[in-house]
Amino acid sequence: MDNDCKRWAQLLWKYLKLGQPLVKSDVIIGLGCHDIRVAERAAELYLEGWAPQILFTGYLGNHTKGVWNLPEADVFAETAIKLGVPAHKILLEKKATNTGENIRFAYRTLMEQHIPVKRIILVQQPFMERRIYATYLCQWPGDKENVQVIVTSPPMELDYYPNQSVGTLVDLIGYMLAALERIRDYPKKGFQVEQDISPEVWEAYRKLLQTGYRPK
């Protein structure tokens, strides 16, 4: 990968991440995906005392269907328990198959368990931070004005994020292109709130497409 492509990819990575500071919260919600490091990050936050419980949400999605034999929530819970999180501190939601359902079904699970929340930590992959936040602001069924949400992810830089389960840097660029397209298109469908996208980010997107990268 040449320096121009790397620079364009870094622009997307920087835009898609939010880098929000953590605050003590009522629950950590780990949103299902194909990256076990999201579960590890959620477990780390619990063990550091950022919230008293974890909710893992997710059935099987595009990148885990046919790969994992268990719902994403179960795989994440197993990971967290191995790292020292007590099983009774983990709630599971095992029906969500997309980001919007992750948000809505997590809320439903908390309400069914009579767990009130005023602060929430959402955990996903780094390039999904902005999408998760925009989806939450649109699809969380509860009181958003009086609930503070923080989005976080495994604290890694672009060069170090690819691995065997996530894929190569080429795959990661494809995921970022797709995430940016959804940030552009999903508000019109009622899935997310609008997000500003700078001309510089759009130029990086166009250059990567012209170079041959494709959304995944």
Side-chain angles (χ1 to χ4, degrees):
M1 179 179 296
D2 63 29
N3 289 335
D4 284 338
C5 289
K6 180 64 70 67
R7 178 169 54 83
W8 298 327
Q10 287 284 2
L11 282 169
L12 295 191
W13 180 262
K14 182 178 179 181
Y15 171 75
L16 294 170
K17 289 184 66 178
L18 295 176
Q20 295 178 324
L22 293 169
V23 298
K24 287 287 186 74
S25 297
D26 301 304
V27 66
I28 297 160
I29 301 178
L31 289 86
C33 64
H34 63 308
D35 190 351
I36 290 294
R37 290 171 295 185
V38 172
E40 294 172 347
R41 175 63 168 162
E44 176 185 47
L45 295 173
Y46 170 85
L47 295 170
E48 290 177 354
W50 289 102
Q53 56 197 341
I54 300 175
L55 190 164
F56 287 122
T57 168
Y59 174 55
L60 291 169
N62 292 335
H63 300 296
T64 54
K65 191 179 296 183
V67 178
W68 292 355
N69 296 321
L70 294 172
E72 294 160 357
D74 282 325
V75 174
F76 278 19
E78 289 179 357
T79 300
I81 291 168
K82 288 177 183 177
L83 291 173
V85 179
H88 70 278
K89 293 295 185 178
I90 299 175
L91 298 172
L92 298 179
E93 184 294 303
K94 299 190 281 187
K95 294 183 178 179
T97 60
N98 58 56
T99 303
E101 289 183 352
N102 285 140
I103 298 297
R104 297 195 308 275
F105 295 177
Y107 171 83
R108 184 176 68 190
T109 300
L110 291 170
M111 294 303 100
E112 289 172 351
Q113 296 296 319
H114 306 290
I115 299 172
V117 292
K118 291 297 182 183
R119 291 193 181 95
I120 303 166
I121 298 172
L122 300 175
V123 188
Q124 242 285 12
Q125 298 177 86
F127 64 88
M128 285 288 290
E129 286 189 13
R130 185 175 290 273
R131 265 200 69 203
I132 294 299
Y133 188 67
T135 303
Y136 165 84
L137 290 176
C138 184
Q139 298 204 42
W140 183 258
D143 178 6
K144 291 185 279 288
E145 292 202 3
N146 295 304
V147 175
Q148 181 181 5
V149 65
I150 299 94
V151 184
T152 190
S153 61
M156 303 178 72
E157 294 304 322
L158 176 67
D159 287 339
Y160 298 100
Y161 199 72
N163 69 3
Q164 188 172 2
S165 64
V166 171
T168 65
L169 184 56
V170 172
D171 293 322
L172 182 53
I173 290 173
Y175 298 145
M176 291 194 294
L177 292 171
L180 189 65
E181 289 182 349
R182 287 174 171 86
I183 288 170
R184 176 193 64 194
D185 298 337
Y186 276 10
K188 303 182 187 75
K189 299 179 179 182
F191 298 160
Q192 297 176 5
V193 299
E194 291 276 358
Q195 299 278 289
D196 290 333
I197 304 175
S198 71
E200 185 180 37
V201 170
W202 274 125
E203 182 65 12
Y205 165 86
R206 286 190 289 269
K207 291 291 188 182
L208 287 166
L209 289 181
Q210 290 170 4
T211 305
Y213 292 95
R214 291 293 177 262
K216 291 176 70 72

